Amino acid sequence: MSTAVFLFALAIIGFFYASVGHGGASGYLAAMALSGQSQEVMRPSALVMNLFVSAVSFAQFARGGHFRWNVFWPFALTSVPCAYIGAGIHIDPVLYKRMLAVCLLFAVARLLGIFGSERNMRAASLPFALFIGAVLGLVSGIIGIGGGILLSPVILLLGWADAKETAAVSALFIFVNSAAGVMRSALDGVSLDPEVVGWVAAALGGGIVGGHFGAQRLNEPRLRQLLGVVLLLAAVKLFWA
């Protein structure tokens, strides 16, 4: 894969993921794998790109009035320390990613309406949200993603927020978990490839446009369908990783 094609791919990934409140780590990991990057380069680089893209995506959705602090904080409270811990855990990635892909496929089916109509909005259960945050934070740290791609379907399927509110919450969730992962990598002595500056610029450019597009231009059904497509692509990537 040429440098120009690789940078274009990062921009496209940033666009689509930011449009649904995601940072794009799973997509960046796939692009880097296809470009021949090593595992040592991929994980911290994906988290850094996640930081920038999730930040601009969150800013766009929050500016549109879609962020709900009461939905966000219980997940973040337990996810951040668990993401930090998970970043230091090394397990066989193949089996775990394939199991995760199967879970995502069920979420995709639900988001696309295969399992019937959606639930009405209701208040989040605090103990359950704290538990989910801890689990997703640990998983995110182990895999090297921000976790929004896992949190989004949970919030939507349980009826705790609508699609745009979910996007805003997920974007900030990704940011704080990615920051925890980057901090752990730095303390473990992991260094970034100098080329990551250009990669961040490409992903960020796509993310700025995508965040605006998702927050201002897409209606609820279209955003939900786009999220389903993003999750489907992520599931395929995880299954074949």
Side-chain angles (χ1 to χ4, degrees):
M1 182 185 295
S2 69
T3 301
V5 172
F6 177 61
L7 293 176
F8 180 73
L10 294 181
I12 293 298
I13 291 167
F15 173 85
F16 279 107
Y17 275 76
S19 69
V20 292
H22 291 170
S26 61
Y28 306 140
L29 289 170
M32 285 187 283
L34 291 174
S35 68
Q37 302 296 329
S38 67
Q39 292 287 339
E40 291 75 17
V41 170
M42 290 168 56
R43 184 169 172 177
S45 299
L47 287 174
V48 170
M49 286 186 276
N50 240 19
L51 276 175
F52 284 89
V53 175
S54 62
V56 298
S57 180
F58 169 71
Q60 296 280 14
F61 279 97
R63 187 179 299 118
H66 303 299
F67 180 65
R68 289 176 57 189
W69 171 258
N70 63 319
V71 176
F72 166 76
W73 76 261
F75 297 112
L77 183 65
T78 51
S79 72
V80 172
C82 288
Y84 181 85
I85 294 170
I89 297 175
H90 301 281
I91 63 173
D92 175 54
V94 177
L95 177 60
Y96 198 84
K97 287 184 178 181
R98 289 179 179 172
M99 292 172 60
L100 184 58
V102 172
C103 295
L104 286 178
L105 288 175
F106 278 101
V108 169
R110 182 65 180 81
L111 291 171
L112 296 180
I114 295 176
F115 295 150
S117 59
E118 299 175 10
R119 299 185 180 188
N120 295 324
M121 294 296 102
R122 58 181 180 175
S125 165
L126 179 58
F128 192 32
L130 292 170
F131 172 74
I132 291 173
V135 172
L136 298 189
L138 186 64
V139 170
S140 301
I142 292 172
I143 297 177
I145 60 176
I149 206 165
L150 303 176
L151 180 64
S152 294
V154 171
I155 295 177
L156 288 171
L157 298 179
L158 293 176
W160 291 348
D162 64 30
K164 292 195 176 184
E165 292 169 343
T166 297
V169 169
S170 296
L172 190 55
F173 183 80
I174 291 167
F175 179 84
V176 296
N177 287 330
S178 297
V182 169
M183 183 181 299
R184 180 58 185 263
S185 295
L187 293 176
D188 288 343
V190 177
S191 58
L192 292 170
D193 189 299
E195 294 185 9
V196 76
V197 175
W199 303 349
V200 168
L204 182 59
I208 291 172
V209 179
H212 173 75
F213 188 78
Q216 306 295 333
R217 301 295 182 86
L218 288 179
N219 57 29
E220 180 82 11
R222 290 292 178 267
L223 188 63
R224 189 173 296 277
Q225 291 165 6
L226 182 55
L227 176 57
V229 172
V230 170
L231 292 178
L232 178 60
L233 293 175
V236 172
K237 182 267 172 185
L238 288 167
F239 185 79
W240 293 109

